[in-house]
Amino acid sequence: SQTIHQWPATLVQPVGSPLSLECTVEGTSNPNLYWYRQAAGRGLQLLFYSVGIGQISSEVPQNLSASRPQDRQFILSSKKLLLSDSGFYLCAWSVGAGLYNEQFFGPGTRLTVL
Amino acid sequence: GQNIDQPTEMTATEGAIVQINCTYQTSGFNGLFWYQQHAGEAPTFLSYNVLDGLEEKGRFSSFLSRSKGYSYLLLKELQMKDSASYLCAVRDLGQNFVFGPGTRLSVLP
């Protein structure tokens, strides 16, 4: 069966510090991978998605970046965090073709920037 | 552009039926999804519609009308554990999922 891991679960960082959130998927090959951010009481905002190794599409220009060094690994990074980067970060995956390719979400990382 | 609308909040009584509506305007359409999200947790998949009509799965049903850009999620025999946010999402012709703002449902005893 497929599983998706995210870490850390919670993170408190000062403004201006760097960030690295990691997401890995098990049990599937060549998944589409996504990073979302959800601010308190708000909907999901798509940040990045990737259809393959080294292929990253950015949906919202900001101080975040993403990388996909391996097929089932997706990393979200920042060189300098802003207060507005606080939120619940969710990694998700889906398969590339066929019906019922809903997204499956990881447990999320709650980031607080102080 | 991409736009998905849902009511912000709804309240219903335990044992009752509630319908959560979703309207969408997207550049392409390749399926509509409903997710449940409890506070502080990740969304979990509930249902999927790609053709017009009703899909039933236990106490949950979802309806789609592509010509109207409209869907609803129907929850029957409400339980306290159904208190959560319900997210409507549309998959476009690529691999993107566009999410609505979510509807926070409170089930009262």
Side-chain angles (χ1 to χ4, degrees), chain A residues 32 34 36 38 41 43-44 46 49 51 59 88 90 96 100-103 105-106 110, chain B residues 33 35 37 40-43 45 48 50 55 87 91 95-97 99-102 104:
Chain A
N32 301 313
Y34 309 78
Y36 290 89
Q38 188 175 36
L44 292 173
L46 179 65
Y49 72 94
V51 298
E59 291 297 303
F88 191 39
L90 289 157
Y100 288 90
N101 23 330
E102 69 267 28
Q103 288 183 318
F105 287 85
R110 189 162 304 280
Chain B
F33 300 80
Y35 287 83
Q37 185 178 24
E41 298 181 9
F45 170 74
Y48 168 76
V50 68
E55 294 284 341
L87 310 178
R91 183 158 58 95
Q95 305 300 335
N96 275 342
F97 289 73
F99 280 83
R104 184 177 300 178

Side-chain angles (χ1 to χ4, degrees), chain A residues 58-79:
Chain A
S58 175
E59 291 297 303
V60 182
Q62 51 204 320
N63 68 320
L64 300 172
S65 62
S67 62
R68 185 170 177 174
Q70 301 181 43
D71 180 45
R72 287 169 284 182
Q73 184 184 28
F74 205 22
I75 298 172
L76 182 69
S77 304
S78 175
K79 292 182 179 178

Side-chain angles (χ1 to χ4, degrees), chain A residues 21-69:
Chain A
L21 301 180
E22 189 162 343
C23 170
T24 58
V25 180
E26 296 177 358
T28 186
S29 296
N30 196 30
N32 301 313
L33 296 172
Y34 309 78
W35 277 113
Y36 290 89
R37 178 170 60 202
Q38 188 175 36
R42 304 285 295 277
L44 292 173
Q45 178 189 32
L46 179 65
L47 301 175
F48 301 95
Y49 72 94
S50 171
V51 298
I53 296 174
Q55 301 177 60
I56 308 294
S57 296
S58 175
E59 291 297 303
V60 182
Q62 51 204 320
N63 68 320
L64 300 172
S65 62
S67 62
R68 185 170 177 174

Side-chain angles (χ1 to χ4, degrees), chain B residues 69-86:
Chain B
Y70 168 70
S71 172
Y72 67 72
L73 179 70
L74 193 70
L75 292 79
K76 303 176 184 176
E77 302 170 14
L78 280 173
Q79 302 174 10
M80 299 298 290
K81 66 178 182 179
D82 296 329
S83 292
S85 289
Y86 290 85

Side-chain angles (χ1 to χ4, degrees), chain B residues 33-66:
Chain B
F33 300 80
W34 283 95
Y35 287 83
Q36 180 189 60
Q37 185 178 24
H38 286 99
E41 298 181 9
T44 54
F45 170 74
L46 287 179
S47 69
Y48 168 76
N49 295 72
V50 68
L51 300 176
D52 290 351
L54 189 68
E55 294 284 341
E56 298 186 77
K57 189 184 291 187
R59 295 190 297 115
F60 296 77
S61 303
S62 56
F63 171 83
L64 175 67
S65 169
R66 288 172 296 171

